[in-house]
Structures are given as C-alpha cells and as structure tokens.
Amino acid sequence: MTKHKKFIFIFFFGIQTLAFSQSNESTSFKSSTDELLTIRSVSVLSFTDNLQGIYARPLESHLTELLGKNHLWDLLPVHMEGPLWTPEELQEDVEKTKSRAASLSADAFFVSRISKGPQGVDMILSLFLKQDGQLLLSESFKDESQFEI
C-alpha cells in the first residue's frame, strides 16, 4: 500500500472513531433557566370559590382528570393541610408560595379561584413553579353571564 493510501485509510478510520466516541458523549448545554422551565410533574392544589365549593370542586376534578390523561406531565397527588390561598395571594408573596410548595414533590402546581357575583363568574387559573415560587402562567376570564359545568 502506498503512503497516500495508508494515510487516507488511517485518516478516515480516525474520523469515524472520533465521531463515534463524540456521539456517545453528552454534549448538550442545559442552562439554569432550561432546568427551571423543565416541568416533568405537576400537582393541583385545592381550588377556591365563594360558594363553598359548588364551582371549585367540579372544576378541580375536571382539571385533575385532564392532567391525568396528559402524557407530557406526571400528575402527583397533594397531601397538604393549612389555609387555601388564591392565585393572587401566592403571586404577591413568593415566600408564601415557596412554603406552600415545599411539601410538594411536583415541579409545578396549579391553583385557581372562582367567584360568582352579580356580573357573572370570574375565574383565574395559575401555574406556579416550585423551585423559585414564581408565577409561570395565568389565565383568567371575567364577566361571563352564562356559565355551566
């Protein structure tokens, strides 16, 4: 074999070996923000309303059922005692949110407030991150004169 053929053979063999060894290494970069926003599991805290649970219980059950069927997140049960806080109260006080989340094993949790008044039904559904206690998502609707469960 000539020198050039040996060189080409060794060169391509070396490239293949190098490519194979690098493909087995984890070279992905994961920032702290990526880690914070990676949600693998969620919990649903007890919903609150101003009608002794008439709206809160069925809506909480419905969300729990939807999340239980969702293949993207694991739904983890909540076993907690203490006061029920609204999304607004948790958003205003990060330390309160962190203390509420401390006993959860989920990465994030849902909390909601529903209130019925003369203008209709108002609802806020929020998703908080456990790690930093910050609000990630919030959705609300107001002044719905027709509301059925």
Side-chain angles (χ1 to χ4, degrees):
M1 211 184 255
T2 67
K3 287 184 184 180
H4 296 332
K5 287 182 183 178
K6 284 183 183 178
F7 175 76
I8 291 173
F9 174 77
I10 292 172
F11 178 77
F12 282 114
F13 181 77
I15 294 253
Q16 287 177 340
T17 305
L18 180 63
F20 179 75
S21 68
Q22 286 181 351
S23 69
N24 288 336
E25 293 177 15
S26 176
T27 57
S28 65
F29 174 75
K30 208 169 203 179
S31 70
S32 59
T33 303
D34 289 335
E35 200 56 42
L36 181 67
L37 294 176
T38 300
I39 300 174
R40 294 178 187 88
S41 58
V42 295
S43 291
V44 178
L45 298 187
S46 295
F47 286 16
T48 60
D49 67 17
N50 62 346
L51 295 170
Q52 299 173 352
I54 291 173
Y55 288 113
R57 282 188 299 254
L59 290 172
E60 180 183 341
S61 296
H62 183 67
L63 179 63
T64 302
E65 181 181 327
L66 289 174
L67 291 172
K69 294 177 183 177
N70 188 323
H71 68 281
L72 298 175
W73 292 332
D74 291 331
L75 177 63
L76 301 178
V78 176
H79 305 289
M80 103 179 13
E81 296 178 14
L84 299 177
W85 289 319
T86 65
E88 298 91 344
E89 291 172 321
L90 293 175
Q91 186 177 357
E92 290 172 4
D93 189 352
V94 174
E95 292 308 315
K96 187 183 284 188
T97 307
K98 286 181 179 179
S99 70
R100 175 57 70 179
S103 63
L104 298 175
S105 53
D107 299 322
F109 60 93
F110 287 95
V111 63
S112 181
R113 178 196 48 80
I114 304 114
S115 60
K116 179 157 176 45
Q119 303 298 319
V121 175
D122 297 340
M123 179 177 174
I124 296 175
L125 177 65
S126 298
L127 178 65
F128 289 89
L129 296 172
K130 176 185 177 179
Q131 188 174 351
D132 67 354
Q134 294 293 321
L135 175 67
L136 179 62
L137 300 168
S138 185
E139 182 65 34
S140 65
F141 68 86
K142 298 178 187 232
D143 302 328
E144 297 289 327
S145 57
Q146 294 285 325
F147 185 77
E148 295 180 21
I149 296 179

